[in-house]
Amino acid sequence: MKEAEKTTVRTSVDGRIRENTALGAGVHRLICDAPDIARRAAPGQFVQARNWKGSSPLLRRPISIASVSGRGGLELLVKAIGSGTESLCRARPGDPVELIGPLGRPFDPPSPDRDLCLVSGGIGAAPMLYLAFEFIKLQRKRPRGERKKTHFYFGARTGAEMKVLSELKRFADRSEIAFKLATEDGSVGHKGYVTEALEKSLDRSGGIDRIYSCGPPGFFISLAGASERLGVPAFGSLETQMGCGFGVCLGCSIEVRSGDPQKKFPRVCAEGPVFDLADVVWKRIGR
Amino acid sequence: MTSSGTFGYGEEFGGFFDVNRLGAIVTKAVSVEPRPGNPPPRLRETPSGLVNYIGLQNVGLDDFIRLKIPFLRTLKTKAIVNVVGNSVAEYERVVGALTDCGGVAAFELNISCPNVSKGTHFGVSARETAKLLKKVRKATSLPIITKLTPNVTDIVEIGRAAWENGSDILSLVNTYRGLGFDASARDPLSTLVSGGLSGPAIRPMALYQTREAARALNAPIIGMGGIEKAEHAMEFFMVGARAVSVGTANFYNPTAAVEVLEGIESWLSERGLRSLQAVIGKVNRNPGGG
């Protein structure tokens, strides 16, 4: 798996929208032309995106990268929850989009010799999809008998949100990836939270020794508990209100457990967005 | 120039443009001791603005000298160090230590940050401001800029106290008191940020106070507050500022500062003007004209 270039140089890019596909439940898949960013990106990273003029809203929106294509394409999943994300979801092919990226420290690359465990809630799927695509591509380079499997636990409120997985489902077959689905309304898969499904059915026979995750704060709090009970460390790509997104304003800090006061408030955009869930002080996370 | 707290220590924007094209950069506040800053949440977007409660997080004087001064020394543009302290002695100590180490062109005294309870007591009192300036003036021969808080009844009174006691320049405005939270969140209190408001929303208020100060005082003034584009900078020049600073706009448009600079040059040349002198204070020439 490619590691992100170790560089502090990120670029501000005038990209262009190639495609915009509605996936249901207010979620859109955007493919953007942004070769400078796509070339240097790795799973866990994000972009600061904007496609409107003026100061309403003021700030760019942080959007996780869901995958990159060899042709310089950047895939983003956006859920319309406010005026900024609504504007991005209305983008048409050919429209310009301003992007800064790739931002943040990515996930440590998963070991290629162990099964991969991904857990996500809702729109949090984006960085998990990226990890899955990259891992599966890597495994395909190995002899059939040595390939490791991906286990993707995906939870949502309702079955309407399942379409975010459709591209991955087309890409990989059942020998390569097993999906365990959960919906709060019970319309698909396990009725309840995805973390419950994880605790009940985690298959460690392939050597899973860590969990990769992404989702809203409530999801992480549940997963932090499950991870402790399972004895399997969990790493999550966190999200928070951001200012600049590239390390300058110091506005996106979260609190972690640390003996060193200078390390207590790491920036989600720079030291993060990936954190060990056991280190985060969850009571400080807004929800 | 760029405003303290919006441009790091200068290095962070190197990937976006050549910072040496700017007139100056102003560093994040430096205090004697390192400060971890406030617990989250620290920032909240508001209509055409944002409220911040960062808490003057900085590496402290020793690490500033060790880690940041070497970069500042390589700059061709001027590096102005913003200084904050809990006491007059702390300001004196930072200013004294940085005067001779090279790389520092001037100091900006942050007497106005509303986020740390001890800090406000300078900037809201003409007497405390005067006392501070008298002491700091003796600690350095480098130019001193005093950054004024707008959260006062009469910004001119504070500005005058700084100007008459050794400040070479005044900069205004710092952030306005503001509060934001998400009333629809499951736990609204967990989203609440009470702190300093900045951004385009404050520009009319910043212009008002800049004009008041420019009309009443002879001090050279650096104007700031919600500048995004060159025409906003021209507004500050016309109310009497002799220089301008771009702050919050750096967050959502990392090339804002250099775009404003180039825009000012275009604005002048489109009108056949060779210098800003023709423009500075242009709307102040009718005293009593409102």
Side-chain angles (χ1 to χ4, degrees):
Chain A
M1 175 158 321
K2 174 179 66 152
E3 286 201 34
E5 277 179 25
K6 287 192 169 35
T7 173
T8 55
V9 174
R10 341 98 183 132
T11 46
S12 181
V13 155
D14 291 330
R16 211 148 276 281
I17 303 286
R18 257 190 227 163
E19 283 171 43
N20 179 350
T21 311
L23 300 180
V27 178
H28 286 244
R29 172 187 295 126
L30 298 177
I31 314 273
C32 310
D33 261 332
D36 264 348
I37 296 177
R39 179 170 57 81
R40 295 179 292 125
Q45 292 189 300
F46 66 99
V47 291
Q48 279 285 69
R50 177 173 70 174
N51 72 334
W52 56 89
K53 299 268 171 232
S55 55
S56 214
L58 189 74
L59 302 168
R60 296 181 186 229
R61 292 328 194 216
I63 310 288
S64 286
I65 299 170
S67 79
V68 300
S69 81
R71 299 179 302 130
L74 205 65
E75 179 176 325
L76 308 175
L77 294 182
V78 187
K79 183 164 185 169
I81 55 169
S83 60
T85 44
E86 279 166 15
S87 175
L88 289 167
C89 288
R90 280 196 303 266
R92 289 160 311 173
D95 282 355
V97 61
E98 294 174 51
L99 302 170
I100 301 174
L103 298 170
R105 280 189 325 147
F107 284 107
D108 282 341
S111 164
D113 302 320
R114 294 173 177 276
D115 279 7
L116 178 67
C117 180
L118 309 171
V119 186
S120 80
I123 187 80
M128 303 297 101
L129 294 171
Y130 196 177
L131 274 170
F133 282 118
E134 296 295 303
F135 185 79
I136 291 167
K137 281 188 224 165
L138 196 85
Q139 294 302 323
R140 286 179 180 173
K141 296 190 180 148
R142 309 174 101 182
R144 270 204 186 271
E146 289 171 36
R147 290 181 196 171
K148 291 296 170 184
K149 197 163 173 173
T150 298
H151 305 259
F152 198 148
Y153 291 81
F154 179 76
R157 287 218 189 84
T158 75
E161 297 172 54
M162 294 294 154
K163 283 220 196 93
V164 300
L165 301 175
S166 51
E167 207 193 345
L168 183 57
K169 283 185 175 165
R170 281 194 297 269
F171 178 74
D173 68 42
R174 282 215 240 124
S175 68
E176 298 178 296
I177 185 165
F179 289 97
K180 302 260 170 63
L181 307 176
T183 45
E184 286 176 45
D185 70 354
S187 52
V188 176
H190 166 87
K191 180 171 183 349
Y193 296 129
V194 66
T195 45
E196 292 162 1
L198 174 77
E199 263 193 278
K200 262 200 246 166
S201 72
L202 179 61
D203 171 6
R204 296 197 222 202
S205 62
I208 286 171
D209 68 346
R210 66 192 53 194
I211 294 162
Y212 293 87
S213 63
C214 186
F219 158 85
F220 276 129
I221 290 170
S222 297
L223 182 58
S227 153
E228 204 189 325
R229 290 186 291 273
L230 288 167
V232 180
F235 297 89
S237 179
L238 263 56
E239 185 187 288
T240 188
Q241 268 272 289
M242 278 195 186
C244 62
F246 48 88
V248 164
C249 74
L250 311 182
C252 65
S253 292
I254 58 163
E255 186 172 346
V256 297
R257 283 176 249 286
S258 174
D260 180 352
Q262 285 298 299
K263 300 215 167 106
K264 237 171 62 147
F265 300 122
R267 298 162 291 182
V268 171
C269 73
E271 285 71 52
V274 177
F275 291 94
D276 182 336
L277 300 192
D279 291 340
V280 178
V281 176
W282 294 105
K283 75 174 200 292
R284 291 279 190 203
I285 299 282
R287 50 208 222 96
Chain B
M1 49 208 290
T2 52
S3 309
S4 178
T6 71
F7 214 69
Y9 299 94
E11 276 176 291
E12 297 84 341
F13 279 75
F16 298 118
F17 68 95
D18 178 9
V19 303
N20 287 312
R21 294 168 64 189
L22 300 175
I25 64 163
V26 182
T27 68
K28 177 78 185 173
V30 179
S31 54
V32 172
E33 296 300 325
R35 293 192 189 187
N38 291 323
R42 290 179 168 188
L43 187 143
R44 183 152 194 97
E45 189 182 64
T46 57
S48 296
L50 64 92
V51 177
N52 91 76
Y53 188 56
I54 309 294
L56 300 172
Q57 176 177 339
N58 76 99
V59 297
L61 179 61
D62 291 346
D63 273 0
F64 179 79
I65 292 173
R66 193 168 62 86
L67 301 170
K68 310 295 181 187
I69 285 282
F71 173 74
L72 297 182
R73 281 209 199 103
T74 70
L75 289 177
K76 297 195 192 74
T77 186
K78 296 189 179 359
I80 299 171
V81 175
N82 183 287
V83 181
V84 70
N86 289 334
S87 65
V88 173
E90 288 190 5
Y91 284 90
E92 285 178 286
R93 180 142 159 230
V94 175
V95 165
L98 296 178
T99 290
D100 295 316
C101 65
V104 179
F107 294 103
E108 182 182 59
L109 302 185
N110 184 353
I111 63 171
S112 51
C113 192
N115 292 333
V116 177
S117 57
K118 299 268 174 104
T120 44
H121 76 281
F122 292 110
V124 302
S125 157
R127 221 179 69 173
E128 297 300 315
T129 299
K131 272 166 48 178
L132 174 67
L133 261 302
K134 280 200 180 91
K135 288 282 187 164
V136 173
R137 182 70 278 173
K138 294 204 186 101
T140 185
S141 53
L142 290 177
I144 295 173
I145 304 165
T146 304
K147 186 167 184 179
L148 304 179
T149 175
N151 301 311
V152 292
T153 308
D154 182 3
I155 204 170
V156 171
E157 190 201 2
I158 312 296
R160 181 174 292 118
W163 171 241
E164 289 178 352
N165 287 283
S167 192
D168 299 286
I169 299 166
L170 302 177
S171 62
L172 63 158
V173 290
N174 205 318
T175 55
Y176 288 80
R177 279 189 289 257
L179 186 152
F181 65 99
D182 180 0
S184 307
R186 224 177 290 185
D187 177 8
L189 178 59
S190 74
T191 67
L192 192 145
V193 180
S194 172
L197 176 70
S198 65
I202 73 168
R203 200 167 70 245
M205 303 191 291
L207 284 168
Y208 182 95
Q209 289 183 289
T210 302
R211 188 171 185 239
E212 292 292 289
R215 292 209 290 190
L217 303 169
N218 289 326
I221 285 170
I222 301 167
M224 69 187 97
I227 295 175
E228 298 178 288
K229 301 186 184 151
E231 57 250 44
H232 308 150
M234 301 320 299
E235 292 170 8
F236 279 89
F237 288 123
M238 288 198 183
V239 298
R242 293 207 218 157
V244 293
S245 189
V246 174
T248 298
N250 293 314
F251 295 158
Y252 49 95
N253 179 11
T255 52
V258 75
E259 285 170 22
V260 168
L261 179 65
E262 289 173 350
I264 291 169
E265 288 163 2
S266 304
W267 196 97
L268 291 173
S269 75
E270 278 162 22
R271 286 155 182 79
L273 298 170
R274 268 179 295 148
S275 101
L276 283 164
Q277 282 306 117
V279 173
I280 290 174
K282 188 166 179 171
V283 300
N284 295 353
R285 284 174 194 158
N286 290 319

